[in-house]
Amino acid sequence: MQRLRRLRSSTTLREMVAETSVKKEGLIYPVFVTFGKNKKEEVPSMPGVYRYSVDRLGEIAEQVFQAGIAGVMLFGIPETKDECGSGACDEQGIVPQALRFFKEYFKEKGKSFLLVADICLCEYTSHGHCGVLEGGDVVNDKSLPLHAAAALAAVRAGADMVAPSSMMDGVVAAIREELDKNGFNNIPVMGYSAKFASAFYGPFRDAADSAPQSGDRKSYQMDFRNGREALRELDSDEAEGADILMVKPALSYLDVVAQARARTLLPLAVYNVSGEYSMVKAAAVQGWIDEKRIVKEILTAFFRAGADIVITYHALDYVRREEEK
Ligand code: PBG
């Protein structure tokens, strides 16, 4: 008989042989920034997650700073939208304003802190799709320069990293070229490489007001039945010059994460998305699960599967709870 229980018999032994831990320096917290003044609105479907106006960002900046996590990822909710999502490229737009705020805030603290800008058009287009819409479909190549311009605007405003999330073919290369051309060859690109068309984004679309007005995103986001194709997406982002690859959502896609880990030498991120967060919160509110233990188990699973970076709405709660004990 193999006595596998031998090494489980005390806390000391278990701690000693533990293979994985959650690295808080690998956590990124998503922040929603909204137009207007003096706003802190809870997202109804995401308890504990708020939309802040720029003048109220100090509150969340202090919390992420205290937590000692890697950084934040910014999403904007602009006041007005148009057909081609031009707000995404506006250097005075909502995300650039927030970036300038955070940049200044952390400069005063004298601490390095990562500001990641999600690059997509869906929050800025009147139709809610992630690119230019023609004849009911998103036109890939016409959407690329808009993404490149959005990335440049974000970087000029202080983004330390950009993360294109629209699943346009060639978007990583287009952004890389634009950044290099403008002297930003040191700014990394994190590709949302294998991003699946997922019902798990439901609460986010409430939060960011970015649901497509017609149709769905299946002509650009991946079909969740496909694992091999996910590897092609990861390969192609790597070939286009991505510095970090991502799999999204996370929980139902750990098979893809494990395969990606075995395949690429690049750092790997997972996005623990809104629906995954809301399910945990909903069950916790009912008293059906132990939120603290569940979240730790989930976050650990991401690292065990091979992720180096976890983008998660649980980040602040997680760190706070860990440091309580
Ligand atoms: C924008 C974007 C989405 C998410 C991140 N960036 C929404 C979508 O693709 O519909 C989802 C994040 C989440 O659900 O937490 N394209």
Side-chain angles (χ1 to χ4, degrees):
M1 200 196 304
Q2 286 227 46
R3 297 253 173 223
L4 289 163
R5 292 182 55 193
R6 229 177 252 138
L7 294 179
R8 292 178 205 146
S9 62
S10 73
T11 310
T12 321
L13 277 170
R14 289 193 297 271
E15 287 299 318
M16 188 183 75
V17 301
E19 299 171 24
T20 315
S21 60
V22 176
K23 189 175 76 170
K24 74 173 183 178
E25 294 81 2
L27 302 180
I28 294 179
Y29 184 68
V31 173
F32 297 103
V33 191
T34 185
F35 65 89
K37 284 216 160 34
N38 196 24
K39 284 194 200 163
K40 179 189 177 185
E41 311 162 340
E42 190 164 28
V43 179
S45 51
M46 300 179 74
V49 173
Y50 299 85
R51 286 187 290 237
Y52 297 89
S53 54
V54 175
D55 59 330
R56 293 284 298 269
L57 282 174
E59 195 175 317
I60 193 71
E62 180 62 24
Q63 289 177 50
V64 293
F65 173 72
Q66 292 296 342
I69 60 173
V72 290
M73 180 168 223
L74 298 177
F75 295 94
I77 301 119
E79 186 158 18
T80 56
K81 308 187 184 221
D82 63 20
E83 275 290 297
C84 61
S86 53
C89 315
D90 181 358
E91 290 188 24
Q92 301 309 321
I94 191 79
V95 167
Q97 283 178 45
L99 284 163
R100 283 189 286 266
F101 168 83
F102 277 114
K103 201 80 199 169
E104 194 52 39
Y105 186 91
F106 290 109
K107 202 168 98 192
E108 279 170 21
K109 295 271 182 192
K111 184 178 178 246
S112 89
F113 189 81
L114 204 65
L115 302 176
V116 187
D118 176 89
I119 303 297
C120 194
L121 304 184
C122 63
E123 296 110 302
Y124 303 90
T125 51
S126 42
H127 44 73
H129 280 285
C130 302
V132 178
L133 204 58
E134 271 177 22
D137 196 16
V138 170
V139 194
N140 195 85
D141 297 11
K142 278 192 187 166
S143 304
L144 296 180
L146 295 168
H147 285 77
L152 183 60
V155 170
R156 282 193 171 139
D160 302 303
M161 188 188 290
V162 290
S165 66
S166 64
M167 289 299 280
M168 295 299 115
D169 290 326
V171 72
V172 169
I175 289 176
R176 183 73 273 156
E177 192 186 324
E178 185 72 3
L179 294 184
D180 289 353
K181 215 166 58 193
N182 288 277
F184 294 112
N185 49 1
N186 271 330
I187 298 291
V189 177
M190 172 161 67
Y192 279 67
S193 315
K195 175 173 174 179
F196 292 85
S198 171
F200 284 103
Y201 307 149
F204 174 94
R205 292 179 189 172
D206 274 356
D209 185 26
S210 66
Q213 299 301 300
S214 63
D216 53 40
R217 303 209 201 286
K218 288 183 183 157
S219 80
Y220 40 104
Q221 298 180 349
M222 280 195 58
D223 187 324
F224 57 72
R225 292 171 292 191
N226 297 351
R228 290 195 307 269
E229 188 189 351
L231 302 181
R232 293 185 65 199
E233 283 285 0
L234 290 150
D235 284 356
S236 108
D237 271 14
E238 184 163 349
E240 285 179 36
D243 300 280
I244 297 174
L245 305 179
M246 192 200 297
V247 175
K248 175 186 173 190
L251 269 179
S252 309
Y253 298 86
L254 292 184
D255 56 327
V256 177
V257 177
Q259 288 181 71
R261 177 67 294 153
R263 193 177 177 89
T264 181
L265 299 178
L266 297 184
L268 194 58
V270 294
Y271 197 138
N272 177 210
V273 301
S274 55
E276 298 173 326
Y277 171 86
S278 299
M279 291 195 305
V280 169
K281 284 288 181 185
V285 164
Q286 298 284 340
W288 293 339
I289 56 165
D290 178 336
E291 180 177 345
K292 176 177 176 178
R293 290 178 55 210
I294 289 266
V295 168
K296 185 161 189 169
E297 188 171 332
I298 288 172
L299 297 184
T300 304
F302 298 149
F303 286 99
R304 191 189 61 232
D308 306 290
I309 300 155
V310 176
I311 303 158
T312 178
Y313 305 96
H314 294 297
L316 297 181
D317 285 347
Y318 169 78
V319 172
R320 219 175 278 135
R321 284 190 296 250
E322 282 306 300
E323 290 175 357
E324 256 164 28
K325 51 172 194 197

